[in-house]
Amino acid sequence: MCGIIGYVGQRRCQGLLFEGLKRLEYRGYDSAGLAWRENGRTECVRAIGNLESLSSALAARAAAGEAQDSGALATATVSAGIGHTRWATHGAVTEHNAHPHSDWSGRVRIVLNGIIENYVQLREWLAEEMIECSSETDAEVVAQLISLHYDGDLSDAVRRTVSVLSGHFAFVAMCDEEPDTLVGIRRECPLVVGVGEDELFIASSISAFLRHTRRVVVLHDGEIAVMRHGAVTVFDVDGLPHRPQETHVDWDEDRCEKDGFETFMLKEIHEQPAAIAETLLQSRANLTQAADGALGPEAARAISRIVIVGCGTSYHAGLAGRMAVERWARVPVEVDVASEFRYREPIVEPGTLVIGITQSGETADTLAAMRLARAQGATVLAVTNATGSQATREADAVLFTRAGLEIGVAATKTFVAQVVLLYHLALHLARARGALPAAEAEALQRELDRLPGHVEQVIESVDSGMRVLAERLVWSPFFLYLGRLSGLVVALEGALKLKEISYVPTDAYAAGEMKHGPIALLGHDTPVVCVATDDRVLPKLLSNLSEVRARGARVLAVASEGCKQIAEHAEHVVYVPVSDPLLQVVLAIVPLQLFAYHLARARALNVDQPRNLAKTVTVE
Ligand code: AGP
C-alpha cells in the first residue's frame, strides 16, 4: 500500500513532492524517498522511518551545500521528480531498499507500488545479461529492465518492460535523457494524473495533489500515461492511444483523504479486494520461500498442535483459520481469546505452534499470550498488518497481511486479509504434510485467487440493498446472528461489527445451540441474521430457521447463489458467489459489514471512531 507522487512542470519540485508524500502518509510506510531533476542533474534522497527522517535527510543534504528548494520557479525551464512512501514487500527496511530505485548507471529512476511476481526470474535473466541488482527489491529489477529497453523513448521502454512483468503494480519512471518527461503505468494498483496550468502530477491518490489541481485523469488498468510539456497522453500496453478522460473533483480535503468515500470504514470495505490480492501474493511468496525455519517443510511436519490466540475480530479470523488447518492439514487446532489464554495456565510445549493474530501488532493481551507461549517452549508465529510492531519482535516467525493502513476502528479489510493468510498457511501445512491431494490443493489455491474478484462483485451487488434493509430496521432494539461451521464465524464477526459501530445489542450463536437458550430472546419481529453459506450443514440450518420463524421472528439470510431452499425460510436473502464453504467466510462477511455500516450511518453515528473503542488496545 505504498504511496507514489510525481511532478513535471516549471516549479521546483522537491517541496511539492514532499508535501504530496505527507498527504499519502495515511497509507502506511516504513521508508520514504525523493528523486528530482533540477538544473541539469538528478538528486536522490532516501530515509528509513517516517517523513521526519526524510526531512532531516533533505536538510542535511541542503546543509552540505547541495541545491535548495523553496517552491519558487526553477532556474531550468522544467523540473521533474518522483517520490515514494514504501511499505517493504521485497527486501528489508533499509535505506538502500527504499525507493526511488535506479538502474546500474543511475539514468533511469522509478517508484513502484505493488508486487512484481516474477521478479526472481527477471533478476536471474538480468544476471545472464551481466546486470547485477544491488538491492533486494523488485523495483530495482524494473528500473534495470527499462534502462535495458531504452532506445531514446522512455514510454516505449516502459511499455516493453511491462510486457514481461507479472503481478499487480503501479509505477512512475523518469530518465536523464528525457528530463521533461514522466511515464506512469498501472496494473490493478491505483494511479491518477492531476492536470494543472503547464504542470502535471501523478499519484496513488488524488489527495497527494488536490491543493494544486482538481482536474484529474484516472488511469484504467493497463494504461500508460506519458506526461510532458503540460500535457498527458495515454496508451495501452500495445501502444494504441487512449483518450484521457478528465474529470473535475470537487471533494474537500477530508473527503479526498478518503478517496471520495464518506468515511474511512466505507473506503476500507471497498479496499478489501486489493487487501486480499496483496496478502495472497505476499504470503505465497513468503511461504514458498520458507525453506527452513519455523515455517519450512521440516518444521511444518513436526508440528503436533496449533494454538491460535487473538482478540475481537482477530480472534474471529483465528476461528476461520482453525477450520482450514484442521480440514486441510489435519493438525489439531485450538483457538483462544488471548486475555483468557494468558491466565488459564494453558498447556503448550515444544511441538506446539502458537499463532498470535493481531492487525496492529500491539494488542497487550495477544502479546502477553505470545510471550507466555514462547517462554514455555512453543514456536510462536505472529500474523500482523504492522511492520516493525511489537508482535514482530515477540515471535519466531512473522507473516504479514497486506491490507494497508486501516483507520476505521472497526476492522474490515484487515479481517479478510487475516482469513486469506491463514488459509494460505493451512494449504502450506497441508502440502508439507501430504495431507491433501495435490489436485485438491491446487483447486483451493485457484479459488483463493478468485476471491478479490468475487469480493468486488459482492460489494457492487449488495451495497444499495444493504442500505435499504438497514434503514428499514434502523430502530430494531436487538439482532440475533446465527450460523453453523464457517457460517458461525461470519455470524460472530457480523454481530461484532453491528454492536461496535451502531451500539445495538446483538448476540451471535451456533444455530444448533439456539434451542438451548437464545431462543428465549425471540419475539414477534425480532430480526435474525442467518449465515447459510456452508452447504455441509444447510439442511440442519434450515430446520433451525423453521424454529425461528415459528416464533414470529424475521429472518435475513446470506446464502450462496443458486440456493433455492433458503427463500422459503427468509424474508430477505442476499446471495454471494459459490465457492468452497470455508472461502465463503470472506464473501459472506461483506454484506454484514455493509449492513452494520449503513445501520450506524442511518443512526447518524461516527462509524470511524465509535464510542469507547480504540484502534489499538495496548492495555490489558
Ligand atoms: C474489531 O473491529 C475491533 N476493533 C477489535 O475487536 C479488534 O479486532 C481487537 O481489538 C484486536 O485488535 P488487533 O487485531 O489489533 O490485535
Side-chain angles (χ1 to χ4, degrees):
M1 294 287 172
C2 320
I4 285 175
I5 173 80
Y7 172 85
V8 55
Q10 292 178 349
R11 285 192 276 173
R12 283 184 158 172
C13 64
Q14 188 205 110
L16 294 171
L17 296 171
F18 188 84
E19 181 199 315
L21 290 186
K22 269 255 165 249
R23 313 243 150 227
L24 296 173
E25 265 194 306
Y26 70 92
R27 299 169 73 87
Y29 64 103
D30 42 43
S31 64
L34 299 180
W36 69 101
R37 215 172 144 78
E38 256 178 26
N39 304 327
R41 58 171 194 219
T42 304
E43 311 289 345
C44 184
V45 175
R46 301 181 287 190
I48 302 177
N50 58 20
L51 289 181
E52 268 175 43
S53 313
L54 180 63
S55 174
S56 308
L58 288 165
R61 186 187 150 281
E66 306 283 346
Q68 252 289 23
D69 166 80
S70 61
L73 282 180
T75 49
T77 47
V78 165
S79 90
I82 51 181
H84 195 253
T85 46
R86 171 183 189 241
W87 196 9
T89 54
H90 297 70
V93 183
T94 63
E95 198 177 303
H96 192 59
N97 284 338
H99 294 215
H101 276 283
S102 67
D103 67 316
W104 63 272
S105 67
R107 68 171 182 169
V108 170
R109 283 173 204 266
I110 76 155
V111 284
L112 178 138
N113 180 8
I115 293 176
I116 308 298
E117 280 180 75
N118 57 339
Y119 92 106
V120 174
Q121 295 92 307
L122 292 170
R123 203 183 159 99
E124 285 165 6
W125 181 80
L126 283 166
E128 284 165 21
E129 299 290 310
M130 310 303 284
I131 298 169
E132 291 297 336
C133 293
S134 70
S135 76
E136 302 156 73
T137 67
D138 50 356
E140 186 190 344
V141 169
V142 177
Q144 301 278 19
L145 287 168
I146 295 172
S147 178
L148 197 69
H149 288 131
Y150 188 75
D151 192 14
D153 182 346
L154 182 60
S155 65
D156 188 53
V158 165
R159 203 171 53 76
R160 289 168 64 192
T161 299
V162 167
S163 69
V164 299
L165 302 180
S166 57
H168 69 290
F169 52 81
F171 68 80
V172 179
M174 60 192 284
C175 162
D176 283 354
E177 281 90 332
E178 295 173 62
D180 57 351
T181 305
L182 291 184
V183 178
I185 155 85
R186 68 161 288 207
R187 190 188 283 170
E188 289 178 45
C189 292
L191 203 58
V192 285
V193 175
V195 183
E197 284 302 317
D198 290 329
E199 61 183 4
L200 296 161
F201 297 81
I202 187 162
S204 319
S205 160
I206 296 168
S207 56
F209 53 71
L210 185 77
R211 284 182 162 195
H212 303 285
T213 181
R214 289 174 175 273
R215 292 164 57 202
V216 171
V217 173
V218 176
L219 297 178
H220 300 288
D221 254 1
E223 284 186 335
I224 297 173
V226 183
M227 301 158 55
R228 81 165 64 97
H229 306 313
V232 56
T233 44
V234 178
F235 300 91
D236 65 16
V237 282
D238 298 318
L240 296 172
H242 283 196
R243 182 195 290 259
Q245 283 175 355
E246 192 181 303
T247 49
H248 184 269
V249 168
D250 55 8
W251 307 333
D252 58 20
E253 286 205 20
D254 178 50
R255 177 98 183 225
C256 195
E257 208 185 4
K258 297 171 187 138
D259 281 348
F261 290 99
E262 57 193 14
T263 61
F264 281 110
M265 184 177 172
L266 191 59
K267 169 176 176 278
E268 287 154 8
I269 289 173
H270 281 260
E271 284 172 347
Q272 292 184 115
I276 295 167
E278 293 224 5
T279 300
L280 286 174
L281 276 174
Q282 178 74 34
S283 57
R284 182 181 311 173
N286 292 151
L287 288 165
T288 38
Q289 282 159 21
D292 48 23
L295 295 173
E298 208 174 305
R301 283 189 286 275
I303 296 168
S304 54
R305 192 169 69 105
I306 292 179
V307 178
I308 302 178
V309 289
C311 303
T313 291
S314 295
Y315 166 75
H316 295 155
L319 295 175
R322 171 173 67 187
M323 269 185 265
V325 173
E326 290 196 334
R327 185 160 310 148
W328 301 338
R330 306 305 296 159
V331 182
V333 184
E334 264 176 65
V335 189
D336 211 344
V337 170
S339 55
E340 287 291 300
F341 176 85
R342 60 185 291 196
Y343 292 116
R344 75 169 163 85
E345 296 178 30
I347 300 169
V348 280
E349 63 251 325
T352 306
L353 174 68
V354 173
I355 307 177
I357 308 179
T358 163
Q359 65 79 24
S360 62
E362 305 289 352
T363 299
D365 284 317
T366 308
L367 293 176
M370 290 165 66
R371 226 167 276 146
L372 174 85
R374 214 163 173 212
Q376 293 189 8
T379 302
V380 173
L381 167 68
V383 170
T384 182
N385 200 46
T387 45
S389 60
Q390 189 58 28
T392 64
R393 294 190 281 274
E394 303 277 355
D396 299 292
V398 184
L399 285 175
F400 288 105
T401 51
R402 291 291 178 193
L405 190 67
E406 190 173 68
I407 291 176
V409 166
T412 52
K413 60 177 180 170
T414 53
F415 171 71
V416 292
Q418 288 167 341
V419 172
V420 296
L421 186 147
L422 292 170
Y423 287 174
H424 242 176
L425 177 64
L427 277 183
H428 171 75
L429 296 177
R431 286 184 176 116
R433 298 167 73 97
L436 202 61
E440 218 174 297
E442 284 314 308
L444 283 165
Q445 182 65 58
R446 279 196 299 278
E447 279 298 294
L448 269 176
D449 292 338
R450 293 175 69 198
L451 281 177
H454 280 335
V455 170
E456 199 156 344
Q457 186 186 329
V458 175
I459 295 171
E460 269 171 33
S461 62
V462 307
D463 189 26
S464 60
M466 286 294 106
R467 183 162 41 74
V468 171
L469 193 62
E471 283 167 3
R472 204 185 302 155
L473 295 170
V474 61
W475 298 117
S476 295
F478 169 73
F479 286 79
L480 179 65
Y481 283 67
L482 296 176
R484 298 185 80 133
L485 297 182
S486 62
L488 175 59
V489 175
V490 180
L492 288 163
E493 176 58 12
L496 177 64
K497 287 289 89 78
L498 187 63
K499 71 171 71 120
E500 267 188 307
I501 60 171
S502 72
Y503 320 141
V504 181
T506 63
D507 205 350
Y509 251 86
E513 270 288 287
M514 193 186 56
K515 56 171 106 38
H516 301 288
I519 198 163
L521 295 169
L522 299 182
H524 192 66
D525 274 356
T526 306
V528 176
V529 180
C530 169
V531 185
T533 43
D534 201 323
D535 54 14
R536 295 164 299 178
V537 281
L538 189 63
K540 304 277 175 208
L541 189 71
L542 295 178
S543 319
N544 300 138
L545 291 186
S546 302
E547 293 156 9
V548 168
R549 285 173 60 241
R551 268 86 199 162
R554 310 165 75 173
V555 177
L556 323 164
V558 183
S560 306
E561 278 163 5
C563 173
K564 294 204 174 71
Q565 308 96 301
I566 193 74
E568 296 160 26
H569 292 79
E571 197 172 300
H572 189 99
V573 187
V574 189
Y575 291 98
V576 296
V578 180
S579 186
D580 178 89
L582 288 186
L583 272 51
Q584 271 173 311
V585 169
V586 176
L587 305 176
I589 191 58
V590 175
L592 300 191
Q593 292 168 339
L594 286 165
F595 178 69
Y597 175 81
H598 289 302
L599 197 135
R601 292 287 291 174
R603 287 181 165 222
L605 295 170
N606 180 347
V607 295
D608 286 337
Q609 284 166 323
R611 72 181 181 205
N612 306 336
L613 292 173
K615 185 69 186 163
T616 305
V617 185
T618 52
V619 290
E620 231 190 287

